[in-house]
């Protein structure tokens, strides 16, 4: 979390009312970061557009988007106020263990089971099956004993069956970015 980063806050009404309409959502910016606190500008109610001074002790769920697209979220509370060039609210800074992370994808991933012929170097050729396909890549399931490692460049031929019975081989080049061992001596 950095200075000038947008921060979204959500408060829940006192008494634990779980009604979605009773939740209030705010937008603010981080003005200062210390080991104990996040100093934020006075938040703006997203529904009314008005500034709202949250009371000390108010519990909030906070979230923001990091530059790499990861959404982080955490629970915190207002611990006080600070006079600066502008009035600031102080939030308890969460520990690393209290911060949840959600990777936001740039592309939609669609489940798809398609056959793929793969070639690593000049010697190793094997068949795999896609698990999903998206604009940023695809996931393959293949034998677990194959000597693949992150960073390997492969040649692929995706086998596409058309409704009329025609078959097309679509060639492309890709790179292994992640390997996940699966059950039954397979890997993703």
């Amino acid at each position: 979390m950095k200075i000038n980063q947008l921060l979204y806050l959500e408060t829940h009404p006192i008494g634990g009312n779980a009604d979605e309409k009773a939740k209030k959502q705010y937008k603010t910016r981080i003005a200062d970061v210390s080991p104990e606190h996040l100093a934020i500008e006075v938040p703006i109610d997203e529904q009314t557009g008005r500034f709202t001074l949250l009371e000390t002790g108010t519990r909030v769920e906070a979230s923001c988007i990091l530059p790499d697209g990861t959404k982080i979220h955490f629970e915190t509370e207002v611990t006080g106020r600070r006079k600066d060039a502008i009035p600031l609210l102080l939030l308890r800074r969460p520990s690393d263990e209290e911060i949840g992370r959600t990777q936001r994808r740039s592309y939609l991933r669609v489940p798809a089971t398609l056959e793929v012929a793969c070639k690593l170097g000049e010697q190793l050729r094997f068949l795999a099956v896609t698990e999903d396909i998206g604009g940023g890549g695809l996931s393959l399931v293949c034998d677990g004993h194959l000597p693949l490692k992150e960073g390997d460049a492969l040649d692929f031929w995706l086998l596409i069956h058309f409704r009329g019975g025609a078959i097309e081989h679509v060639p492309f080049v890709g790179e292994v970015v992640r390997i996940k061992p699966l059950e039954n001596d397979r890997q993703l």
Side-chain angles (χ1 to χ4, degrees):
M1 292 175 280
K2 295 183 179 180
I3 294 173
N4 274 337
Q5 189 168 32
L6 279 177
L7 189 66
Y8 298 91
L9 307 176
E10 186 173 283
T11 61
H12 297 279
I14 297 173
N17 184 349
D19 182 10
E20 288 294 318
K21 292 179 183 174
K23 293 180 181 179
K24 291 287 210 170
Q25 296 179 338
Y26 304 93
K27 183 168 63 172
T28 184
R29 276 193 195 281
I30 298 173
D32 192 22
V33 178
S34 74
E36 299 84 28
H37 295 100
L38 296 174
I40 61 169
E41 296 174 359
V42 175
I44 297 173
D45 185 314
E46 289 203 304
Q47 188 174 12
T48 65
R50 294 181 180 199
F51 290 104
T52 304
L53 277 173
L54 300 174
E55 296 295 321
T56 299
T58 302
R59 306 252 337 133
V60 295
E61 292 179 33
S63 64
C64 64
I65 310 295
L66 300 179
D68 69 357
T70 302
K71 179 180 180 179
I72 63 169
H73 48 90
F74 54 92
E75 288 191 18
T76 186
E77 64 186 63
V78 178
T79 59
R81 296 181 183 172
R82 186 171 92 194
K83 289 269 188 188
D84 216 349
I86 58 172
L88 301 173
L89 296 180
L90 299 176
L91 300 178
R92 180 186 57 80
R93 185 171 177 177
S95 66
D96 289 342
E97 294 79 33
E98 293 176 290
I99 298 175
R101 296 180 181 273
T102 306
Q103 180 64 44
R104 294 167 46 106
R105 296 194 176 272
S106 299
Y107 300 100
L108 173 68
R109 292 181 83 71
V110 179
T113 305
L114 300 169
E115 294 175 80
V116 182
C118 311
K119 183 174 96 169
L120 175 64
E122 292 302 316
Q123 300 295 321
L124 182 62
R125 297 168 191 257
F126 59 95
L127 294 176
V129 176
T130 62
E131 183 172 87
D132 57 46
I133 298 177
L138 52 85
S139 295
L140 297 174
V141 176
C142 62
D143 288 331
H145 71 277
L146 293 168
L148 297 174
K149 61 184 181 305
E150 291 180 12
D152 281 348
L154 289 99
D155 293 307
F156 298 96
W157 293 267
L158 185 64
L159 188 66
I160 300 181
H161 296 269
F162 290 97
R163 287 189 183 142
I167 296 175
E168 181 91 25
H169 289 86
V170 179
F172 64 97
V173 176
E175 177 183 339
V176 177
V177 293
R178 192 176 311 100
I179 297 174
K180 177 180 167 185
L182 301 174
E183 296 175 5
N184 303 329
D185 196 33
R186 310 287 284 164
Q187 61 187 352
L188 178 67

